[in-house]
Amino acid sequence: MSEEQAAAACCGTVQAAGQADTGCGPNENVATDAGRCDPGDTSVTNDASVTAPTAGRVDGPYPVVVIGAGPVGLAAAAHLHERGLPCTVLEAGPSAGAAVAQWGHVHLFSPWRYNIDHAARRLLEAAGWVAPDLDTLPTGAELVEAYLRPLAMLPQLAPHVRYDAPVTAIGRVGVDRVRTAGREHAPFVVRLATGEDLLAAAVIDASGTWRTPNVLGANGLPAHGETDPQTSALVDGALPDVLGVDRDRYAGRHTVVVGAGHSAANTLLALAELAALEPGTTVTWATRGGSIDRAIGGGDADALPGRGALGTGVKQLVDSGRVQLLTGFAVHAVAAVDGHVRLTAADGRALTADRIIAATGFRPDHRIAAELRLDLDPVLGCTRALAPLIDPNDHSCGTVRPHGVDELTQPEPGYFAVGMKSYGRAPTFLMATGYEQVRSIAAALAGDWTAARDVQLDLPETGVCSATPSVDLPRAELGLVTASAGGSCCGG
């Protein structure tokens, strides 16, 4: 739940992991294998005369700043390195894959072969790295330990990855959002939470959506009482470690899982396993829609068996009565009552439990780019060019067209939101898509427009994603499975 989630997911907490595909590798017209990732002196002077290129190859003393050291952010750094472009990676967490580590107990639904970026793999293997068994399903923790951290520790990247460095704002030297004259020549200013300002020739925002979850309220607004401290103390976010460190929170208690996506399905499977081990543990599944068909997905016909098994497993839980299903339960109000939590639906139905798990998806936070000129689709919050290609009302994850720098370009030259954040509220993001995005952007920043526009992506058509952006996973990129279950959507 992102790819993102995976996304994820939060300046630099990165998107949660998702899945790549063998058909989405980078174009091989790499400029050089001895490229530099050296930011030089990026501290801001007060000299507004410093210049940045308006288009084409990034030249000059300033690096490309990548926000987020997750799968897509580190892939961006790898592609920039191969292109000979200087880069600085800013990660809000204490280590690479910090957001992924928060759901480290969960298995991805696709095997290793789909989760490794091609440029990243070339760098790793040149350093003697041996890929894991490409046919096994990694956990989030294994993705971090066996891939993301070794990648971030490579000598080509390590000196240029900064941790505990959350970004709070992005602007341009000497101009605000209103001023046009000279704007395209001004370097970016990237401000950190410490107050430090860095100069950048371009910005690739792979910060994800992990820290900006959707609300419980069915209409996109917080449910009445949702923000009350006593109530929020009884509501957990997506993908808690039900069978591990969070076990005591749910054992012997009644838990309601709200959400119709595959992060919800993963949690339901874990709770059902806990109920078999701990007497008195009961589980209710509340969905806004009238059907769970999309959560069930392609079943045995799914191109990724793990993903199909997830839907099949949840259906069996419902059919057997191990999980009580309440469909059409549009959450209107939530309140703490005598140590318990009460959910009230728009139709008046009420439900009381010990805890609630909100698996209602995530949304992007564009506040750090408030001084940049963004043209966002009013529905999804992505670029207008990308919106019709990923609209979940029309597309599943398997029907999204390949896209790259052209679809991700904003009116602000040189700023790109990638990964889970690039999809806004659409839950159909794929890790393969993120890898192809940054490959295309790196090629464009290197001035290689032929490679930049040669975008390719081969995705499985089977398996169904949620068509409701506000009630799904923490992004398809977070299509995950529990240790005893199969897979999820949008990760192949």
Side-chain angles (χ1 to χ4, degrees), residues 102-115:
Q102 294 186 35
W103 47 267
H105 56 286
V106 182
H107 279 79
L108 282 81
F109 61 70
S110 62
W112 270 109
R113 68 177 66 254
Y114 300 132
N115 301 313

Side-chain angles (χ1 to χ4, degrees), residues 159-176:
H160 316 297
V161 181
R162 295 182 55 177
Y163 302 107
D164 296 314
V167 174
T168 60
I170 309 168
R172 284 194 183 267
V173 171
V175 297
D176 61 12

Side-chain angles (χ1 to χ4, degrees), residues 277-301:
L277 301 172
E278 296 283 355
T281 303
T282 57
V283 187
T284 299
W285 184 14
T287 70
R288 185 177 71 178
S291 169
I292 60 169
D293 288 348
R294 288 188 175 273
I296 294 172
D300 293 340

Side-chain angles (χ1 to χ4, degrees), residues 111-208:
W112 270 109
R113 68 177 66 254
Y114 300 132
N115 301 313
I116 301 171
D117 172 74
H118 290 266
R121 182 169 183 171
R122 287 191 290 270
L123 288 177
L124 284 164
E125 290 183 338
W129 179 78
V130 178
D133 183 345
L134 296 180
D135 294 320
T136 61
L137 302 177
T139 63
E142 289 167 345
L143 184 72
V144 171
E145 295 300 326
Y147 171 55
L148 296 180
R149 289 184 181 167
L151 178 60
M153 292 172 64
L154 289 174
Q156 299 95 325
L157 302 185
H160 316 297
V161 181
R162 295 182 55 177
Y163 302 107
D164 296 314
V167 174
T168 60
I170 309 168
R172 284 194 183 267
V173 171
V175 297
D176 61 12
R177 193 170 71 183
V178 175
R179 180 174 171 179
T180 299
R183 180 176 200 86
E184 68 275 18
H185 299 293
F188 287 93
V189 180
V190 180
R191 178 161 295 172
L192 306 184
T194 59
E196 180 184 1
D197 286 346
L198 303 178
L199 290 182
V203 176
I204 298 176
D205 184 353
S207 61

Side-chain angles (χ1 to χ4, degrees), residues 53 56 104 121 127 148 155 170 199 226 255 264 373-374 381 417 480:
R121 182 169 183 171
L148 296 180
I170 309 168
L199 290 182
E226 184 174 344
T255 300
R373 295 180 174 181
L374 305 186
L480 311 165

